[in-house]
Amino acid sequence: MNDYKKQDALLLFSGGQDSTTCLYWAKQQFANLHALCIAYGQRHAQEVENARRIAQTARIPFRLLHADTIPRLAPNSLTDASLPVDDEIAPGTYPNTFVPGRNLLFLTCAATLARAQGIRHLVIGVSEADYSGYPDCREAFIRSACTTLSLAMDHPFEIHTPLMWRSKKEVWQLADELGVFDIVRNETLTCYNGLPADGCGHCPACRLRRRGLQEYLAERSLRP
Ligand code: ZN
């Protein structure tokens, strides 16, 4: 038993499968949870409204911040509808769904808001396992960012990454353990084409999500 139950946390929240699972995880771990959604110029405005609705259902205070600097500096397929989402990825490169600087900007915004509210715990749904290998989803980056933000703001942040070493299958399992499998399956929006729940079914995000879901459902049906 830790003393987190007496402390508040701020969650970076997008309304996707991962951050929604984190929302319910953090709701159990901390006394009070706050959700920060950052609109960074992503193509699908309904992502934000979807996130707001999920937070409302979970009775978590929701705050929206507009920070669309990144797409003005570097194009990527999540913010620029004229760029098709990369399907095949050449070895040694990143897909054009990688938004350089995004998680660092997000964490900086979250830390600034958290500090102003006397909060030291940040939660973010990044994962190093079974994903596209984005550098700002790795544990080394998160640790480094935590040190930097704590030094920059003279505030002892802790960054929690409950999904860091979980595969997509294990993220579904966590949602099930938290009793929110149906909410995560039906209410979240992960699809790069902006379709909620099971999504378009063919974009890279949908395929990853579906594969994990199928693996998890197969495993669950084998249990006694
Ligand atoms: Zn899709």
Side-chain angles (χ1 to χ4, degrees), residues 177-210:
E177 287 164 6
L178 292 165
V180 293
F181 180 85
D182 289 335
I183 290 176
V184 172
R185 179 156 189 194
N186 299 321
E187 308 294 331
T188 61
L189 196 164
T190 305
C191 173
Y192 289 150
N193 289 310
L195 301 170
D198 291 340
C200 74
H202 55 76
C203 76
C206 280
R207 291 205 306 265
L208 191 64
R209 173 176 162 136
R210 187 179 55 207

Side-chain angles (χ1 to χ4, degrees), residues 65-179:
L65 178 72
H66 288 276
D68 57 354
T69 317
I70 284 180
R72 287 193 236 144
L73 300 174
N76 70 81
S77 65
L78 295 191
T79 56
D80 185 344
S82 70
L83 287 175
V85 171
D86 273 345
D87 206 15
E88 298 300 319
I89 304 157
T93 66
Y94 293 108
N96 66 1
T97 50
F98 172 50
V99 184
R102 181 176 60 180
N103 283 349
L104 184 57
L105 175 71
F106 281 13
L107 285 168
T108 303
C109 294
T112 306
L113 176 61
R115 187 182 189 282
Q117 299 189 353
I119 296 172
R120 56 180 296 221
H121 297 282
L122 307 178
V123 184
I124 182 169
V126 293
S127 171
E128 198 166 310
D130 202 18
Y131 289 65
S132 306
Y134 297 153
D136 59 355
C137 291
R138 295 178 192 148
E139 188 172 49
F141 160 71
I142 296 294
R143 280 194 196 159
S144 162
C146 190
T147 302
T148 296
L149 291 168
S150 299
L151 288 170
M153 301 187 192
D154 193 17
H155 192 69
F157 290 109
E158 276 189 49
I159 303 181
H160 301 264
T161 55
L163 310 186
M164 181 59 80
W165 303 107
R166 287 177 202 263
S167 65
K168 274 285 180 197
K169 181 189 86 174
E170 291 165 331
V171 176
W172 284 111
Q173 185 181 342
L174 177 60
D176 209 4
E177 287 164 6
L178 292 165

